[in-house]
Amino acid sequence: MDQINGVIDALTEYTRNLPVIKDLAQKAGVSTGHISIGFIAFLSVFMLLGIGADLITDLIGMFYPMYMSFKALETKGADDDKLWLTYWVVFAIYKVVDEWSEIFFFWVPFYYPIKLAFLVYLFLPQTKGAVKLYDSFIRPFVLKHQAEIDAGLSKAGEAASLVQQAAKEEALKKGFEYMTHK
């Protein structure tokens, strides 16, 4: 029981000045820690049942890091900027892999809680999971294949320019035909 009270006290301290939670706690006559633990329990039930779990996972994986990225951009130093930029690089890769692999793994028990735990591991400043993954796997891979990636991006840019030019020409042609057939 002491451990639960310790968690509630920590959550109370952490959420004491969050307006929405503070208002709810005042209306319910409980601490912000109790509201937070209730919210966590509520989300956990939905996650375990798979109801809206993908949305919940994405929201948690994006909103906290987004806010922390905002705060990092507003500070003078660059250390926190690098931390959150690293998170977004890893998150983008995770998201692409997740979209393609989810069809094979969504049936795995506790799939969404595992995904959520992974995202929390990635963004928590205490674990710096994104930095560890980036330094161990992503950075070496990209550095090794940087020339090929740059060449592919250059070709894609050229192709996009050609498509854009063709679209402009077709639009002008159609516009001219429309104007002359009236």
Side-chain angles (χ1 to χ4, degrees), residues 101-112:
S101 66
E102 188 172 278
I103 193 166
F104 301 112
F105 297 114
F106 76 93
W107 56 269
V108 173
F110 307 112
Y111 175 67
Y112 291 106

Side-chain angles (χ1 to χ4, degrees), residues 87-102:
Y87 173 80
W88 289 114
V89 167
V90 174
F91 181 81
I93 293 169
Y94 152 80
K95 198 65 180 148
V96 169
V97 170
D98 180 56
E99 289 295 320
W100 287 94
S101 66
E102 188 172 278

Side-chain angles (χ1 to χ4, degrees), residues 5 19-20 24 26 33 52 74 79 82 89 120 124 127 130 132 140 170 172 174:
N5 287 332
V20 173
L24 286 172
Q26 286 174 345
E74 296 301 313
D79 291 341
K82 184 175 180 180
V89 167
V120 170
L124 277 181
T127 60
K132 290 174 186 171
E170 188 64 26
L172 287 172
K174 292 292 183 186

Side-chain angles (χ1 to χ4, degrees), residues 134-178:
Y134 177 80
D135 288 342
S136 299
F137 301 104
I138 297 168
R139 184 174 187 272
F141 179 84
V142 172
L143 286 174
K144 181 178 178 181
H145 299 285
Q146 191 169 5
E148 296 121 61
I149 294 168
D150 287 342
L153 288 173
S154 178
K155 286 180 183 177
E158 291 169 9
S161 292
L162 290 173
V163 168
Q164 181 182 21
Q165 185 61 35
K168 281 182 189 177
E169 290 171 6
E170 188 64 26
L172 287 172
K173 180 180 162 186
K174 292 292 183 186
F176 181 73
E177 288 175 6
Y178 178 77

Side-chain angles (χ1 to χ4, degrees), residues 1-162:
M1 191 67 172
D2 288 337
Q3 289 177 328
I4 293 172
N5 287 332
V7 169
I8 291 171
D9 291 343
L11 284 170
T12 299
E13 185 62 34
Y14 191 74
T15 60
R16 163 178 322 214
N17 295 319
L18 296 176
V20 173
I21 296 175
K22 187 177 176 180
D23 291 344
L24 286 172
Q26 286 174 345
K27 289 177 183 173
V30 295
S31 72
T32 57
H34 285 93
I35 295 293
S36 300
I37 205 90
F39 184 67
I40 291 168
F42 179 76
L43 286 179
S44 296
V45 167
F46 275 83
M47 291 288 292
L48 291 173
L49 295 175
I51 301 169
D54 198 31
L55 176 64
I56 293 167
T57 303
D58 283 348
L59 289 176
I60 292 171
M62 285 188 248
F63 281 109
Y64 176 78
M66 180 179 60
Y67 180 67
M68 296 308 290
S69 298
F70 168 78
K71 287 178 67 171
L73 290 171
E74 296 301 313
T75 62
K76 298 267 189 248
D79 291 341
D80 52 357
D81 295 1
K82 184 175 180 180
L83 173 71
W84 291 108
L85 278 171
T86 303
Y87 173 80
W88 289 114
V89 167
V90 174
F91 181 81
I93 293 169
Y94 152 80
K95 198 65 180 148
V96 169
V97 170
D98 180 56
E99 289 295 320
W100 287 94
S101 66
E102 188 172 278
I103 193 166
F104 301 112
F105 297 114
F106 76 93
W107 56 269
V108 173
F110 307 112
Y111 175 67
Y112 291 106
I114 291 168
K115 281 175 53 171
L116 181 59
F118 177 70
L119 287 173
V120 170
Y121 164 76
L122 288 179
F123 71 61
L124 277 181
Q126 295 87 340
T127 60
K128 294 187 179 178
V131 172
K132 290 174 186 171
L133 277 176
Y134 177 80
D135 288 342
S136 299
F137 301 104
I138 297 168
R139 184 174 187 272
F141 179 84
V142 172
L143 286 174
K144 181 178 178 181
H145 299 285
Q146 191 169 5
E148 296 121 61
I149 294 168
D150 287 342
L153 288 173
S154 178
K155 286 180 183 177
E158 291 169 9
S161 292
L162 290 173

